[in-house]
Amino acid sequence: MTTANLFTWDKLHSKIPGSSYFTWAEALWLPQVSAFANPSIEQQMNIMKLATALEPVRKHYNRPITVTSWLRPDTYNKMIGGATFSFHKSGLAIDFIIPGLNTQTIKHELYQNKALWPYRGELDVVERIHLDLGGNTWFNGPIQRKTK
């Protein structure tokens, strides 16, 4: 990606490079504080990676995806009770719904169809779909990490 692809505030409502569907505004919106995140260069690059990876999912369902959470700066993530090691903090995770479709059905389809989503997701939360680029192992509930 070139510096021309990087986010600037005048591009807030523009499509994220690599995506035909998602905008910077969707990735940066922080609903609990009604503000937009100011992403670092690394976070911008990660948002572009995730937006590109989500293209087949969006095309497959052929319906708008409503993003409920994407990038979460550390202080915001703490404020809303997000996981300490959340991939949202780096821009590599998304929570969303597809209006009119059952979230559990979508998760089951994505879990079964590795060609559509070869990465990771969360299975047990009913009200939303969580996908991230943190690997290829799906999980139930919060990630438990070993601490030293």
Side-chain angles (χ1 to χ4, degrees), residues 42-143:
E42 180 182 358
Q43 289 168 329
Q44 292 174 51
M45 300 300 273
N46 289 340
I47 289 167
M48 288 187 272
K49 285 179 198 172
L50 182 55
T52 301
L54 288 164
E55 285 290 288
V57 174
R58 174 59 176 79
K59 286 177 186 173
H60 175 78
Y61 290 103
N62 195 29
R63 289 174 173 233
I65 287 176
T66 302
V67 177
T68 58
S69 184
W70 197 321
L71 178 66
R72 295 184 195 158
D74 190 50
T75 53
Y76 181 81
N77 190 62
K78 287 177 187 170
M79 182 191 87
I80 65 166
T84 303
F85 298 101
S86 173
F87 283 100
H88 285 283
K89 292 178 7 177
S90 63
L92 290 173
I94 186 173
D95 296 339
F96 65 92
I97 61 169
I98 301 176
L101 298 182
N102 180 284
T103 59
Q104 292 301 97
T105 300
I106 294 167
K107 283 189 253 190
H108 178 74
E109 290 172 358
L110 294 173
Y111 178 74
Q112 296 296 325
N113 188 344
K114 301 296 184 204
L116 186 58
W117 188 255
Y119 309 105
R120 215 166 84 116
E122 182 176 13
L123 291 170
D124 70 344
V125 177
V126 175
E127 68 275 4
R128 56 142 173 92
I129 299 143
H130 169 95
L131 298 177
D132 66 57
L133 295 180
N136 60 8
T137 303
W138 283 65
F139 62 95
N140 291 312
I143 302 170

